[in-house]
Amino acid sequence: MLLKSDLVNFLFLIGFAVFGYGNYIGQVDGLSEGLIVSSMAFMAIILFYLIDTLYRKRVGYELTGTYWLGLTYIVTLIVSLIVALRGGIPGVNPGNLLLSSVLVLSSFNAAVIVLFYNRGDPDFDFAKLFLKALGVLLLVNVLGFALGMHGEGHNIEGRVNLPFFRGIYHGAHILSVFCLMLVFYLRDPLRDPVRYFILLSIMLGGVVLMLGINSRLSFLVFALLLVIIVTKAARVIKGLYTLSLFTLPLLLSFALLVYQILSLPVFVAILKRVDKEDVTTFNGRSYLWASVGEWAWNDRTGLLFGNGFKGHYKLGLLELVAKMWDQPHAYNMHTHSTFTEVAVAQGVFGVLLLYVLFWRGFKFFRSNYIEDTKLAPMFGGFLYLLFIWQIDIVCYHTDIGHAVLFAMLAPLAIKGPWTSTKRPMVG
């Protein structure tokens, strides 16, 4: 007999892959079509729940403060889109505003609903379902790439460009989250050596794909966190969350040190792109971040509550960089950082909401990691997002990192026995 939980679990399993396919459709057939496709699986979960509420208890009774905090952040994101529409920002219209709003709401609420339907099953493992969902996303990307498909947006010749991601580096980020979760399942190889070898092969394949994408920053963050997790240093290191808050200024301050590290023979061999100017400016991103920093220090227009989506265009922050890069317009640019994008668009208020959500998530998943519960593997993936959101756009707006981040926060958003079950030695 097909249970309701089986249906919502299946829809969640394919949810990120459908999201990714929507990215491709958006690049080929138009943004609105892509947004509709991206939200289909997650919205199917939500619609199924809404129909089912006619006959059963509502999920609202089980929600926590983290749910409402997450929803508040998403509302500030939607409000920033409304401000952009009213301000006449090019590319923003009522249609894609509505569809974008649906998409940014969907993964969070869909994941909460999945947990709601499975809360009575002692064998349910959200971390494993989440990892499989990322695996399905990566599998369809690899198959598409093998068939000759590639991303139609940010495409760099000579590097692995997985087709169902909006940007080439997004593939590296999702691979990092996937591999840092997968490493938790690599334990006790003598108990089941075949399974251990298969999982290890999958992880090494993911690392090879990462190197093919050739994202230097994401690989450095991944390698550092992999060492911290494998050596179990994360159990004793104090201040990881505090350190993550300064990822962006630390990178800018130690740009020459980063160059020296990347100049080591091992990194030159595997990453290849080690030009001093390129590395020390982080492929030109430092110019973007400096423009936002100058606004925050000298101008401060809209600092508290933001200037709306693409607020940097309204303020003219990126005009000089656009000319430097021979771009005809600055409105189709972004600041290559979720942190700076949120700061300009949603202000200090939006950034503080994200800080609190990341703190709650870090504390929750670290506790599960130390106690070795079924949710422990999510600590690795969450730790990666904790560091990468400041130096890449992947967690912002309708990018897939936003969907991944808020789906990860679902166990904090609904009451349930998510932290009480220890992980088995194998499985």
Side-chain angles (χ1 to χ4, degrees):
M1 184 179 75
L2 181 67
L3 301 176
K4 294 175 182 177
S5 58
D6 294 331
L7 177 59
V8 296
N9 291 353
F10 173 75
L11 288 170
F12 188 81
L13 179 68
I14 64 172
F16 292 126
V18 174
F19 190 111
Y21 182 65
N23 286 337
Y24 184 79
I25 293 297
Q27 294 167 358
V28 174
D29 296 329
L31 177 61
S32 296
E33 290 85 349
L35 292 172
I36 292 170
V37 173
S38 287
S39 64
M40 284 176 63
F42 294 137
M43 283 305 300
I45 294 173
I46 296 170
L47 292 174
F48 175 80
Y49 163 74
L50 291 175
I51 294 171
D52 196 32
T53 53
L54 298 174
Y55 307 99
R56 62 178 295 149
K57 180 181 176 183
R58 295 171 181 265
V59 71
Y61 297 104
E62 313 292 336
L63 298 176
T64 70
T66 299
Y67 175 82
W68 299 111
L69 190 69
L71 190 63
T72 301
Y73 167 78
I74 295 173
V75 168
T76 67
L77 176 55
I78 294 171
V79 169
S80 77
L81 293 169
I82 295 172
V83 171
L85 177 66
R86 294 182 62 183
I89 299 296
V92 181
N93 58 59
N96 61 40
L97 186 156
L98 175 62
L99 294 172
S100 296
S101 300
V102 169
L103 185 57
V104 297
L105 284 163
S106 63
S107 70
F108 188 36
N109 287 283
V112 168
I113 290 169
V114 167
L115 288 166
F116 176 69
Y117 277 107
N118 286 279
R119 71 197 186 287
D121 181 3
D123 297 323
F124 176 67
D125 188 337
F126 182 67
K128 190 172 288 187
L129 176 63
F130 188 90
L131 181 65
K132 289 178 179 178
L134 292 181
V136 173
L137 167 65
L138 293 169
L139 178 61
V140 297
N141 268 280
V142 170
L143 292 175
F145 183 74
L147 292 173
M149 301 176 70
H150 57 80
E152 298 293 333
H154 184 207
N155 184 7
I156 301 177
E157 188 175 349
R159 290 155 68 179
V160 173
N161 185 19
L162 299 175
F164 305 126
F165 290 109
R166 183 169 295 167
I168 186 171
Y169 298 130
H170 293 187
H173 299 317
I174 299 304
L175 280 163
S176 296
V177 171
F178 177 79
C179 290
L180 288 171
M181 287 185 65
L182 188 61
V183 73
F184 281 81
Y185 295 93
L186 294 172
R187 48 198 268 164
D188 200 3
L190 297 180
R191 189 179 292 264
D192 190 344
V194 174
R195 174 184 173 278
Y196 184 90
F197 176 77
I198 291 172
L199 294 181
L200 180 61
S201 299
I202 292 172
M203 182 175 170
L204 292 176
V207 173
V208 169
L209 279 175
M210 262 187 260
L211 295 175
I213 294 171
N214 207 344
S215 173
R216 294 165 300 194
L217 284 180
S218 65
F219 186 79
L220 279 179
V221 173
F222 166 77
L224 176 62
L225 296 180
L226 181 64
V227 171
I228 289 175
I229 290 170
V230 169
T231 61
K232 301 188 185 302
R235 290 179 176 271
V236 295
I237 292 178
K238 303 293 184 181
L240 267 178
Y241 175 79
T242 304
L243 179 64
S244 75
L245 300 181
F246 301 98
T247 305
L248 184 55
L250 284 172
L251 269 180
L252 292 172
S253 299
F254 292 98
L256 285 175
L257 177 61
V258 172
Y259 171 70
Q260 293 297 327
I261 293 172
L262 289 175
S263 298
L264 295 173
V266 60
F267 288 112
V268 171
I270 61 178
L271 295 176
K272 298 180 177 61
R273 301 178 302 129
V274 191
D275 175 77
K276 186 174 183 179
E277 170 70 16
D278 191 26
V279 171
T280 54
T281 65
F282 304 102
N283 203 23
R285 293 174 186 173
S286 64
Y287 303 128
L288 300 169
W289 301 335
S291 297
V292 175
E294 187 176 341
W295 158 76
W297 187 259
N298 296 319
D299 186 342
R300 296 188 290 279
T301 300
L303 183 64
L304 289 181
F305 297 104
N307 299 280
F309 179 69
K310 296 288 186 181
H312 58 73
Y313 178 71
K314 172 184 173 182
L315 298 172
L317 298 184
L318 307 184
E319 294 297 333
L320 290 177
V321 181
K323 292 178 181 178
M324 184 188 308
W325 292 352
D326 294 323
Q327 295 291 320
H329 308 288
Y331 66 79
N332 58 357
M333 297 175 64
H334 58 74
T335 57
H336 279 278
S337 163
T338 304
F339 170 79
T340 54
E341 205 75 20
V342 172
V344 174
Q346 295 154 252
V348 171
F349 182 64
V351 170
L352 288 178
L353 287 172
L354 264 185
Y355 276 158
V356 175
L357 287 168
F358 270 113
W359 166 243
R360 290 191 175 193
F362 172 77
K363 187 168 66 169
F364 176 81
F365 288 121
R366 187 173 185 273
S367 174
N368 279 269
Y369 163 65
I370 291 172
E371 295 172 15
D372 200 29
T373 74
K374 285 184 176 180
L375 285 177
M378 300 195 74
F379 177 66
F382 194 85
L383 198 58
Y384 180 83
L385 294 180
L386 182 65
F387 281 89
I388 210 67
W389 77 282
Q390 289 200 17
I391 54 177
D392 200 273
I393 195 72
V394 67
C395 292
Y396 181 67
H397 190 221
T398 56
D399 286 328
I400 196 164
H402 171 94
V404 169
L405 170 62
F406 277 87
M408 276 188 158
L409 289 171
L412 290 77
I414 180 171
K415 299 171 186 175
W418 319 124
T419 64
S420 61
T421 308
K422 294 286 186 178
R423 287 204 298 150
M425 287 304 298
V426 176

